[in-house]
Amino acid sequence: MKTIKVGVAGLGFIGPAHIEALRRLPGIELAAISETSEELAKSKAAQLGVEKYFGSYEELLKEDIDCIHICTPNYLHFEMAKAALMAGKHVICEKPLATTISEGEELLKLAQEKGLIHAVHFNIRYYPLVRQMKVMREKGELGEVYSIIGSYLQDWLFYATDYNWRLEPELSGKSKAVADIGSHLMDLLEYISGLKITEVMADFKTIHQDRKKPLKPVETYSGKMLQPEDYADVPISTEDYATVMLRFDNGNKGVITVSQVSAGRKNRLSLEISGAKQSFSWNSETPNEMWIGRRDSANQLLMRDPSLFDKESATLISFPGGHNEGFPDTSKQMFKEVYEQIRIGNMKNTKFPTFEDGLRELLLCECILESNEKQCWIQV
């Protein structure tokens, strides 16, 4: 097996998650990492046990590397992905693919022209029961989709003192909750149901109109009581909460709610898809079980178990039933499929989310922003 050399740019929360998953795959070599300064890169390299590091993305691209993972703040995704493609590197990019539709279109066109493998890290698709729901629907076990209800709830921005770069539009984009977590949810709903969202009606709420931005690095005062002078008041323009009504291309309806200020909900994506034959329900905080609802017979709880799954979804399971798998395994399973495709050398018959899927979510988010602003239905 030929070894594929990989570079990872950005080592905040998700970059190390990529690295941990990559280290679990055979034939993959983590060749180097990059951060915004050499000092920071050196520190991260020591923490992660990486030998080669760079203080700029440009230096990383000069390395003998086959594929780049882009795990930086949103505003850097476009320029970094474009530079990597121009340098002949395959790209796995964190979502969002870019911050505008035109940027996303440019990246997709460039990747196709270069004949390079391109992926967007919609990793929640890779919980085995998510793939199982999709396969069951494709085999006709769900029937016509009547309705879809979904939510994605977190509490990491519950307090006005909670602060992160994602709150700043110049770094993150014009949307916060919808773009950050709503994009995962909408991608999942279309992926499982096979339907396309055709119209949206959105209503946003910014719970904390002003937030207190720490004036010191978090590590400086972690675990300590802060004083008023340790903060600066910052006005917030992006949403903490959103509800979006959906119309689908089969004529039926749905609704989603996203919130990053729901106390006690750490990272709960929940969905319920009701069909003409039965219903599917699943949530990411109990990812190894799926509820199947029926009208005229007993409901069923299907546990993650390769011996009980369709063969198309059992490929995402590495351990026997009862040996639970979770969030870190989703990235491993996605990267496994991406790197198999890199070895094949083309984008034919891909299973993983591509730049096309990333562009789709940019379009949906843009329509949702417009709908909230105009308070009306917007066609996608």
Side-chain angles (χ1 to χ4, degrees):
M1 179 186 292
K2 178 182 179 292
T3 298
I4 298 175
K5 294 183 178 181
V6 180
V8 177
L11 284 306
F13 158 66
I14 202 64
H18 281 235
I19 289 172
E20 191 273 339
L22 289 167
R23 284 173 165 163
R24 298 166 66 193
L25 294 175
I28 304 298
E29 177 188 339
L30 178 61
I33 61 172
S34 72
E35 256 296 349
T36 52
S37 71
E38 187 163 351
E39 182 182 5
L40 181 57
K42 181 179 180 180
S43 172
K44 293 290 186 179
Q47 292 173 23
L48 296 164
V50 180
E51 184 175 338
K52 190 171 283 190
Y53 58 87
F54 298 99
S56 77
Y57 184 65
E58 291 75 17
E59 291 177 276
L60 178 63
L61 283 182
K62 294 176 184 176
E63 282 293 291
D64 178 21
I65 285 172
D66 302 297
C67 183
I68 296 287
H69 288 240
I70 299 172
C71 305
T72 56
N74 301 351
Y75 78 103
L76 294 169
H77 291 182
F78 169 72
E79 63 181 74
M80 286 184 165
K82 183 176 180 179
L85 293 169
M86 293 298 293
K89 317 291 188 186
H90 306 293
V91 176
I92 299 174
C93 187
E94 268 301 320
K95 54 84 197 161
L97 175 60
T99 55
T100 68
I101 292 172
S102 61
E103 288 178 348
E105 289 173 336
E106 183 177 344
L107 290 177
L108 176 59
K109 182 180 178 183
L110 181 59
Q112 290 172 337
E113 288 175 350
K114 294 284 187 180
L116 293 164
I117 306 302
H118 48 91
V120 177
H121 191 229
F122 286 119
N123 61 301
I124 300 178
R125 289 189 185 191
Y126 284 81
Y127 283 105
L129 280 158
V130 168
R131 179 75 63 89
Q132 178 68 10
M133 284 186 280
K134 173 182 168 62
V135 171
M136 290 172 70
R137 188 269 304 166
E138 290 173 339
K139 292 186 174 181
E141 295 178 41
L142 179 64
E144 180 191 355
V145 175
Y146 286 169
S147 66
I148 298 178
I149 300 169
S151 67
Y152 202 151
L153 309 178
Q154 300 175 329
D155 71 357
W156 71 283
L157 292 174
F158 182 69
Y159 295 115
T161 50
D162 291 325
Y163 203 86
N164 182 271
W165 61 263
R166 289 176 177 83
L167 293 157
E168 300 177 12
E170 62 272 20
L171 301 181
S172 184
K174 294 179 289 184
S175 168
K176 181 170 78 264
V178 169
D180 185 24
I181 56 177
S183 58
H184 272 298
L185 178 57
M186 290 184 291
D187 175 74
L188 217 57
L189 297 181
E190 290 193 334
Y191 174 71
I192 296 169
S193 71
L195 301 178
K196 291 294 184 184
I197 297 166
T198 57
E199 292 182 84
V200 295
M201 174 67 185
D203 198 21
F204 290 3
K205 176 63 178 178
T206 303
I207 301 295
H208 298 297
Q209 302 285 328
D210 295 280
R211 286 183 180 267
K212 295 186 178 297
K213 182 177 181 178
L215 297 175
K216 304 174 184 177
V218 172
E219 290 80 8
T220 303
Y221 53 77
S222 180
K224 299 178 182 179
M225 294 297 294
L226 299 182
Q227 301 303 314
E229 61 268 21
D230 293 325
Y231 295 111
D233 288 332
V234 175
I236 301 298
S237 61
T238 53
E239 77 283 0
D240 295 313
Y241 169 96
T243 289
V244 187
M245 291 191 291
L246 310 170
R247 291 173 177 166
F248 294 97
D249 57 1
N250 73 340
N252 288 328
K253 313 293 177 68
V255 63
I256 60 170
T257 295
V258 295
S259 171
Q260 295 177 315
V261 290
S262 296
R265 295 301 190 190
K266 303 306 176 186
N267 190 51
R268 188 180 194 272
L269 185 155
S270 176
L271 60 88
E272 185 156 326
I273 303 176
S274 297
K277 295 182 179 179
Q278 54 189 7
S279 297
F280 298 159
S281 180
W282 176 88
N283 89 78
S284 63
E285 288 190 346
T286 54
N288 289 286
E289 60 186 49
M290 161 194 168
W291 180 85
I292 301 172
R294 303 187 178 96
R295 168 66 186 266
D296 297 316
S297 60
N299 297 333
Q300 179 184 358
L301 197 63
L302 175 62
M303 306 299 290
R304 183 207 56 81
D305 186 334
S307 68
L308 302 176
F309 274 35
D310 290 285
K311 65 178 192 261
E312 298 92 334
S313 45
T315 59
L316 299 187
I317 302 175
S318 296
F319 299 98
H323 298 74
N324 286 338
E325 295 170 275
F327 179 82
D329 301 281
T330 61
S331 295
K332 182 191 80 169
Q333 297 293 351
M334 178 179 162
F335 299 160
K336 182 176 70 176
E337 290 189 348
V338 174
Y339 284 102
E340 284 174 359
Q341 209 70 36
I342 287 175
R343 287 194 167 90
I344 292 170
N346 61 56
M347 290 289 288
K348 294 179 182 178
N349 303 315
T350 56
K351 297 179 182 178
F352 54 82
T354 68
F355 281 12
E356 190 170 356
D357 298 294
L359 178 58
R360 172 70 179 167
E361 292 312 311
L362 290 175
L363 174 62
L364 287 171
C365 287
E366 193 67 34
C367 291
I368 288 169
L369 280 164
E370 183 182 353
S371 174
N372 175 69
E373 182 180 343
K374 295 179 178 178
Q375 288 291 285
C376 67
W377 284 95
I378 296 295
Q379 287 192 340
V380 178

